[in-house]
Amino acid sequence: MLFGGFAVCSMLRGESRAAESADPGDEPELTVPPSPKPYYLRRAFLMRVAALAALPLTGAAVLVNEDKWALPLSRVQVVRGKLASKKEFLEDPKVRRILMGHGIRLELTSASSRAIAVNSLDGFDFAFLSGQPAATMIVERRQRERLQADPYSPFLSPIVLATFRDYAETLRDHGVARPLEGEGSLYYEIDLSAFIGLMRAGRRWDDLGITRYGPANGNRVLANTPEVCGSNSAGTYLGMVAYAVNGDRVVRSFTEADVVADKIKPLLTEQGLPSEEIFEVYIGPDGRQRGPIVVVYEHQFFTYQLDRRARSVDVDRERVLMYPRNGYLALPRLIALTPAGKRLGELITDDPELRGRAAELGFRLYPRHGVEPGAELGELLERQGIPVPVMAGSDDSQTRLPALALLDRMIVRIGCPGSGSS
């Protein structure tokens, strides 16, 4: 009974089977069952332990992926914001890593500048607008409501017309555009009044002789803009066109706004490219057909060229920029709505790493401490072998937009909901 009843019975059954099969002279065999493994060596226990051991490694991987590595969770502050077309800056992985080093993690909601301006900002720490009109709308409303609204201007970017060399040269033949830096330049100046004249006359590219430089195009001469009801660049372009159509004079009354809006409405409602896609269409393989001239920000073009150089690809010399003679420098504004938003505004305005990254993303940095606006971008372009355009400051902006209420009146007159809509 040394091994217990179960073991003895097993032993006896083993002896019986052995006796039946063995020769009469053989000794009977004793069958001893193996000892059970300790619980800590059993497969089920080891699998559970392995799963628990993997949890810290998984958490570490998530922290690395979300740029939180080595930061105590209690020190990471979530800052929530609404932003428009400058989202490529705050969504940039390097920018997010720099901010995480300062203990800030962003939660971002995208919308058009005008939609941000006319809707509630409850629950957000900041709003990042693409230009002055929408930013002014927010600041004025919150000041009336006695709410925080601290503006920050980290960088600027001119409104430009991005096109292809064959289209720029065709316009040059008609006295509408001229190269800024001699033959082969990436940059042209465009007489917006003369260009608008071609659009209003219904001229077509084939009529202007586009086939002298590139493929035929029977479409009407137009500049494609983002959707004018929400896009800051489209709204600004509307103001620039209004200035030109009004004899290089700023619209100064509601009556004048209605008259000018009726004149330019056909020029702004026939383009049809969505805001999110307009630059991607332009740099895509069929950009020449779908978006031969598009209204964009200068920094988008430089980001595209700098990305090519980073991949050791030559500068794209077929795509060029046209700067309106009466130009306009868009001044993106971050409006801090809370103390957390204020801290973010101070960082993106003054932090050297964030300013350097803004230049790498094609922005002209807002002047600080006597440095000329755009100086850092010019140096970066030169190092990368990209021709440097004229780095003019904000004071050279000759187009003057109408007062905010008049600009909004023209946007509504063209067919957009009023600013009081949700």
Side-chain angles (χ1 to χ4, degrees), residues 53-226:
L55 286 177
L57 297 178
T58 303
V62 171
L63 288 173
V64 169
N65 188 51
E66 295 188 2
D67 304 326
K68 302 175 191 173
W69 182 248
L71 279 174
L73 293 179
S74 61
R75 288 181 52 200
V76 176
Q77 183 178 24
V78 177
V79 180
R80 296 175 175 84
K82 264 191 175 182
L83 70 169
S85 64
K86 299 303 174 286
K87 64 183 180 181
E88 64 265 36
F89 176 69
L90 289 182
E91 288 182 346
D92 176 69
K94 187 172 181 180
V95 169
R96 294 177 78 93
R97 282 197 297 272
I98 296 170
L99 289 174
M100 185 57 68
H102 291 280
I104 290 177
R105 181 168 67 84
L106 298 178
E107 286 188 1
L108 304 175
T109 300
S110 296
S112 69
S113 286
R114 193 161 181 268
I116 294 172
V118 302
N119 288 299
S120 171
L121 291 170
D122 291 348
F124 291 96
D125 299 297
F126 70 94
F128 203 178
L129 293 308
S130 298
Q132 299 96 310
T136 301
M137 190 181 295
I138 290 175
V139 171
E140 290 180 351
R141 185 182 73 235
R142 291 183 69 87
Q143 286 177 344
R144 288 193 302 269
E145 298 170 353
R146 299 185 180 276
L147 297 173
Q148 181 176 347
D150 299 317
Y152 294 89
S153 301
F155 40 67
L156 36 91
S157 189
I159 297 289
V160 294
L161 277 66
T163 187
F164 295 82
R165 189 174 299 281
D166 44 344
Y167 286 86
E169 288 296 319
T170 299
L171 293 175
R172 179 186 181 184
D173 287 348
H174 291 266
V176 177
R178 68 177 184 87
L180 286 174
E181 299 166 357
E183 298 299 323
S185 172
L186 285 183
Y187 313 113
Y188 290 72
E189 181 184 78
I190 183 170
D191 182 341
L192 199 56
S193 296
F195 181 66
I196 292 168
L198 295 177
M199 291 194 288
R200 295 180 72 183
R203 300 296 299 275
R204 298 182 182 275
W205 289 110
D206 282 349
D207 300 338
L208 300 182
I210 187 70
T211 52
R212 285 196 295 269
Y213 302 99
N217 186 343
N219 292 327
R220 291 177 57 189
V221 175
L222 282 175
N224 290 282
T225 73

Side-chain angles (χ1 to χ4, degrees), residues 332-353:
R333 290 277 176 89
L334 185 147
I335 309 299
L337 312 174
T338 66
K342 184 178 178 68
R343 181 167 176 249
L344 175 64
E346 292 170 348
L347 281 172
I348 68 169
T349 302
D350 297 323
D351 182 78
E353 280 190 285

